Amino acid sequence: MPEIKINGKKIKFEEGKTILDVCRKNNIKIPTLCYHPDLKAEGKCRQCIVEVNGKIMTSCNTQAKEGMNIITENEKIKKYRKINAALLMSRVKTKDILETEDIEELMEHDGLFENKLRNLPIDNKNPAIERNINLCINCGKCIRKCHDVQSVDAIYPAFKGIETIAATPFLCPLDQTVCTYCGQCSLVCPTGAIREKSSIRDVEKALKDEGKHVIIQTAPSMRASLGEEFGLKPGSLITGKMVTALKKLGFNRVFDTDFGADMTTYEEAHELMERIEKNKNLPMTTSCCPAWIVFMEKNYPELLNHISTCKSPQQMFGAIAKTYYAKLHNIDPKNIVVVSAMPCTAKKFECERREMRSSGFKDVDYVLTTRELGRMLKQNNINLPSLNDSEFDKPLGISSGSGAIFGTTGGVTQAVLRVIEWKMKSMDVEWEELKKVEGIRQIKLKLGDKELLLGIIYGLGNARKVMEDLKKGKCRYDFIEVMACPGGCIGGGGQPKSTDMDIVKKRSLALYRQDEKLEMRKAHENPVLKEVYDNFLGEPLSKKAHKYLHTRYFNRKK
Amino acid sequence: MKRLLMELHALQDKYGFLPKKRLEKLSKKTNIPLAIIYSTATFYSGFELEKQPKYVIGVVTCPSCIANGALELIEYIEKTLNLEINNPNKKCLLLKLQCIGRCYDAPVITINKKIYTKMNKEKLSDLLKKCR
């Protein structure tokens, strides 16, 4: 193993690692800002500078080489870091910045050029994401996410020098661009220049209204990530504590989106079996990711017939809550407010879609992201880690393990296959293969005498590759699961800002732990699901099921 | 990307600026995302995104031209055409230019990219007649 000297100490390292990697591995602290472990290093912010053999260099994109003599901090480096920090912060009002870990150390540097403060309009015309470019310090993380990872290209740097900003084409509002509202940009933005459009006020208003019956549904991935907002270790499962916290906030009922996920599983499995039988519109792709739906509507409208017509778990839950649940408990659906806690910014857009009103009202009223819910709990002095566990309310809080794994990549496929296995009896698949976290996976499935190929994809960049193949007729899959965010919902755009792939993998394991803990692991075993079908919907894919649980898509290409 | 620059130059030459509709069409034709086209168009000062006035007058304001009276020329143009630098009227736009390498012919001005050398007020008043 080659060796380098860091601050006078000899350290062995693996070939091909950067200086920053080596230092982090050996617990030597180097400040960074534009660096993100999942993104290409750009060396833009120059906070990670170190002295290599007497020369100042950026550690994030310099490879460690045998014999290097590195000093990570001295007076000169400190001075340079400070100047660079002041330059980065020179065009923003530091008091407007939403503080995050990345930027804490920069906060002391006020703008150098007060008179050069930007005064651009705030873009908040869409329901999901708010952009205040006046807070942008050009770290470029949002652009690397949008361009390199998601291949969406809604924003890109425009103008040059001190005028550079992360801009939409012609500075138009985000809803007129190809943006899918996946929110990955808001996940990495260190200043809050791009953030989710907050619904906290609306929810608080509804909670205070005596006449309203306010219910909340919590997304599968939420229980594996919300704890991080309160300093718990990544991958901590806090299901019971979360329910207690939500009850403390004043929600009349705390339900589970996992129940909606069970319904989606059940409908989607039947839809898939029907399509395979009739050999119609194959490959079928999943439909539970709203960013993926917008991506298809804006880029590949000619392929929309491949998407399953099932609504997402969130919307199925909303439709059932304002019809079946309202009738069951004799509540006027007009007075029910459905709030959902989601790891996602695109869900905010989904619930505003005009066709998502099958109950006669807006099926889901407000969406809170993980970050917003964390903020709301803190504002109300609720310290999540210290709470006791409680159970979800009945009936819509009853769910199977299939629902829980919806939050991770490959989860939807597993859930659907569990139902198909029960229906078709003879099925063979490598279950362990399904549990991995990888961008594009191919999995063989034996169903009776048929051999099928499943594709499991996360990241819109990967999805684009597969869709290009499909357009050219080169796609061999029969079923494709797509999640827009890296790792699935557990890496969603509304998750805590510390999210990276290592943390995502830990959250994924937490969801599988939740699944294994449960006795009821298959969607069709859910007793409430049976009740809803027996008393309300009839059969899967029936006319009534289509009315409440299925949707349609629109061509949004310009 | 090389092709993108050629296409942008062709549009700039044809229209005198880059019309939004044309760029959208270009994005569809080449499959280059519109945000990247906009990024390129705003980066290079050779491209304009808005319709330009009929006459764009540039005065070089680098040492050689200033020493030979460029600043006085700017003042003269502002007075005769009744406009300010970077602030166009209906027909004309007045800009400061960086050195274009004709220092031995200073002061130098350009009108719609045509170069006029060894300028003085008499020559200029002839040239400005059509711009009024």
Side-chain angles (χ1 to χ4, degrees):
Chain A
M1 250 187 177
E3 225 178 39
I4 46 171
K5 229 177 176 184
I6 302 179
N7 297 337
K9 212 172 120 192
K10 281 183 185 167
I11 286 171
K12 288 195 162 92
F13 68 98
E14 257 175 76
E15 201 83 53
K17 294 273 181 211
T18 63
I19 297 175
L20 185 67
D21 288 337
V22 179
C23 288
R24 290 244 158 126
K25 212 181 162 193
N26 290 287
N27 288 327
I28 299 165
K29 213 186 157 206
I30 295 179
T32 54
L33 174 65
C34 75
Y35 170 80
H36 190 282
D38 300 343
L39 300 173
K40 204 171 80 194
E42 257 185 354
K44 245 177 134 178
C45 71
R46 312 202 83 76
Q47 291 304 298
C48 68
I49 48 171
V50 291
E51 227 178 67
V52 182
N53 302 339
K55 260 191 212 159
I56 295 277
M57 284 177 134
T58 44
S59 60
C60 69
N61 57 358
T62 309
Q63 282 199 359
K65 289 221 176 77
E66 174 80 60
M68 274 182 169
N69 184 9
I70 295 161
I71 296 165
T72 59
E73 197 152 309
N74 59 22
E75 281 312 308
K76 188 173 153 199
I77 294 171
K78 265 192 204 160
K79 192 177 124 198
Y80 285 3
R81 278 185 191 150
K82 201 166 176 182
I83 294 172
N84 284 323
L87 285 168
L88 282 171
M89 308 300 278
S90 64
R91 297 203 69 180
V92 297
K93 268 194 207 150
T94 34
K95 68 170 170 27
D96 294 344
I97 285 180
L98 199 76
E99 230 173 301
T100 61
E101 260 171 60
D102 289 344
I103 210 150
E104 244 168 86
E105 286 169 23
L106 301 188
M107 292 295 282
E108 58 195 87
H109 308 287
D110 247 340
L112 269 188
F113 313 115
E114 275 288 330
N115 57 339
K116 291 253 181 183
L117 289 178
R118 292 196 192 94
N119 194 12
L120 294 162
I122 294 173
D123 171 13
N124 55 7
K125 291 215 171 65
N126 68 78
I129 291 168
E130 191 176 292
R131 281 164 68 245
N132 180 358
I133 291 303
N134 303 323
L135 292 178
C136 177
I137 56 170
N138 280 321
C139 68
K141 283 199 250 190
C142 53
I143 287 159
R144 278 175 278 161
K145 273 275 186 190
C146 197
H147 178 76
D148 298 348
V149 180
Q150 300 293 59
S151 82
V152 169
D153 287 312
I155 47 172
Y156 211 71
F159 307 99
K160 65 178 155 187
I162 193 170
E163 302 296 337
T164 313
I165 50 170
T168 53
F170 304 98
L171 308 180
C172 66
L174 216 50
D175 51 349
Q176 289 171 27
T177 68
V178 285
C179 178
T180 63
Y181 311 115
C182 73
Q184 284 293 316
C185 50
S186 71
L187 186 63
V188 292
C189 181
T191 62
I194 307 180
R195 58 178 96 172
E196 68 283 341
K197 198 168 171 184
S198 180
S199 306
I200 292 181
R201 260 190 214 166
D202 297 316
V203 173
E204 272 173 352
K205 211 174 133 197
L207 283 173
K208 271 180 201 145
D209 193 335
E210 289 285 316
K212 298 278 182 204
H213 182 76
V214 190
I215 62 180
I216 187 162
Q217 51 165 325
T218 59
S221 65
M222 198 82 165
R223 61 212 65 183
S225 63
L226 184 64
E228 289 167 43
E229 285 281 305
F230 293 86
L232 293 180
K233 263 193 287 177
S236 308
L237 209 55
I238 42 102
T239 322
K241 293 183 198 305
M242 178 177 73
V243 177
T244 316
L246 292 171
K247 284 188 174 159
K248 275 198 159 189
L249 270 183
F251 287 99
N252 297 89
R253 293 282 183 281
V254 181
F255 291 140
D256 200 351
T257 312
D258 287 15
F259 170 74
D262 277 345
M263 276 203 297
T264 305
T265 308
Y266 200 56
E267 281 290 320
E268 205 163 305
H270 283 89
E271 191 185 3
L272 179 62
M273 286 187 284
E274 191 187 82
R275 285 202 197 186
I276 290 174
E277 200 179 309
K278 290 184 182 162
N279 200 9
K280 200 177 118 200
N281 289 338
L282 287 174
M284 184 177 101
T285 80
T286 56
S287 60
C288 29
C289 174
W292 154 245
I293 299 294
V294 180
F295 177 78
M296 287 297 276
E297 288 177 329
K298 284 186 175 175
N299 292 290
Y300 301 98
E302 66 276 16
L303 301 177
L304 285 176
N305 58 345
H306 288 286
I307 306 178
S308 155
T309 58
C310 293
K311 280 184 189 171
S312 69
Q314 163 178 283
Q315 294 306 132
M316 282 198 182
F317 179 95
I320 292 300
K322 289 202 177 178
T323 52
Y324 175 77
Y325 171 74
K327 220 172 144 194
L328 197 70
H329 287 258
N330 245 336
I331 308 167
D332 189 350
K334 185 171 84 201
N335 292 327
I336 297 183
V337 178
V338 179
V339 179
S340 49
M342 292 284 149
C344 184
T345 47
K347 288 279 176 203
K348 286 175 184 275
F349 174 78
E350 187 185 39
C351 84
E352 297 288 335
R353 292 175 73 119
R354 236 182 297 153
E355 65 276 19
M356 295 297 182
R357 287 166 181 269
S358 51
S359 63
F361 303 91
K362 207 173 140 195
D363 290 341
V364 173
D365 293 273
Y366 308 113
V367 175
L368 296 171
T369 61
T370 314
R371 295 195 292 271
E372 280 174 277
L373 188 59
R375 225 180 301 150
M376 214 171 148
L377 291 175
K378 282 176 201 162
Q379 278 165 9
N380 286 285
N381 291 324
I382 297 172
N383 183 23
L384 188 85
S386 67
L387 298 177
N388 294 327
D389 289 358
S390 16
E391 296 273 315
F392 280 111
D393 288 314
K394 284 167 190 161
L396 304 184
I398 306 288
S399 63
S400 75
S402 291
I405 52 172
F406 250 63
T408 177
T409 175
V412 180
T413 310
Q414 287 177 58
V416 168
L417 288 184
R418 284 176 194 177
V419 175
I420 292 184
E421 190 179 31
W422 162 68
K423 271 264 162 188
M424 308 287 277
K425 307 273 175 349
S426 90
M427 193 190 85
D428 194 27
V429 74
E430 287 276 345
W431 291 100
E432 282 309 308
E433 281 291 306
L434 287 160
K435 289 188 181 174
K436 287 182 184 160
V437 179
E438 269 168 46
I440 303 183
R441 282 179 287 159
Q442 296 189 357
I443 282 151
K444 281 186 192 134
L445 171 76
K446 257 193 182 162
L447 196 64
D449 51 354
K450 274 186 197 152
E451 274 211 14
L452 303 175
L453 192 64
L454 313 174
I456 300 173
I457 304 166
Y458 69 69
L460 291 173
N462 294 329
R464 191 186 285 277
K465 283 181 212 153
V466 176
M467 285 305 116
E468 283 298 325
D469 281 352
L470 182 57
K471 219 166 122 182
K472 288 177 202 143
K474 283 198 289 187
C475 181
R476 295 183 298 123
Y477 298 116
D478 299 287
F479 175 77
I480 307 175
E481 177 199 309
V482 187
M483 295 287 157
C485 292
C489 307
I490 40 173
Q495 294 283 34
K497 289 218 176 189
S498 50
T499 304
D500 62 35
M501 269 336 260
D502 279 346
I503 293 178
V504 162
K505 280 177 189 156
K506 284 177 192 157
R507 290 181 194 154
S508 171
L509 290 177
L511 290 185
Y512 283 118
R513 274 208 311 279
Q514 165 98 4
D515 172 33
E516 275 154 26
K517 224 163 56 182
L518 293 170
E519 256 172 54
M520 180 172 72
R521 293 179 62 189
K522 293 167 187 170
H524 55 269
E525 290 168 358
N526 188 336
V528 184
L529 183 100
K530 276 182 209 153
E531 269 168 43
V532 173
Y533 274 100
D534 288 349
N535 302 336
F536 183 60
L537 292 169
E539 291 290 304
L541 305 183
S542 67
K543 212 173 165 194
K544 214 164 177 188
H546 261 283
K547 185 181 170 200
Y548 292 109
L549 305 184
H550 289 253
T551 183
R552 57 213 149 90
Y553 309 111
F554 302 94
N555 181 352
R556 289 175 207 263
K557 193 172 184 173
K558 274 199 218 154
Chain B
M1 276 312 159
K2 198 174 160 194
R3 182 159 157 229
L4 174 60
L5 280 180
M6 308 276 273
E7 298 267 9
L8 290 179
H9 272 300
L11 287 177
Q12 173 78 28
D13 288 347
K14 190 168 172 192
Y15 298 96
F17 73 112
L18 303 174
K20 191 176 168 185
K21 286 243 163 78
R22 288 275 142 191
L23 293 186
E24 282 165 359
K25 236 180 173 175
L26 180 66
S27 165
K28 260 185 208 158
K29 196 177 88 182
T30 56
N31 259 333
I32 300 172
L34 193 57
I36 294 183
I37 295 180
Y38 183 71
S39 167
T40 315
T42 52
F43 184 85
Y44 293 103
S45 48
F47 299 126
E48 296 296 339
L49 282 155
E50 261 152 57
K51 198 169 184 305
Q52 297 293 295
K54 198 169 172 192
Y55 298 104
V56 180
I57 307 165
V59 182
V60 180
T61 52
C62 281
S64 193
C65 289
I66 289 183
N68 286 292
L71 295 182
E72 287 79 19
L73 290 181
I74 289 178
E75 212 172 288
Y76 179 75
I77 297 170
E78 280 181 335
K79 215 186 277 173
T80 8
L81 298 181
N82 194 20
L83 50 72
E84 276 169 30
I85 215 149
N86 288 334
N87 201 357
N89 63 17
K90 271 181 192 159
K91 239 174 149 184
C92 304
L93 168 67
L94 178 62
L95 296 170
K96 281 182 182 176
L97 293 184
Q98 296 294 310
C99 182
I100 53 172
R102 296 285 290 266
C103 306
Y104 46 92
D105 285 335
V108 179
I109 73 158
T110 65
I111 297 180
N112 291 352
K113 288 187 179 166
K114 198 169 170 200
I115 298 170
Y116 297 91
T117 54
K118 293 193 174 151
M119 288 311 294
N120 53 38
K121 281 181 191 169
E122 289 75 50
K123 276 189 184 173
L124 198 54
S125 82
D126 274 357
L127 282 174
L128 290 184
K129 263 178 200 160
K130 60 179 177 185
C131 304
R132 247 171 241 168

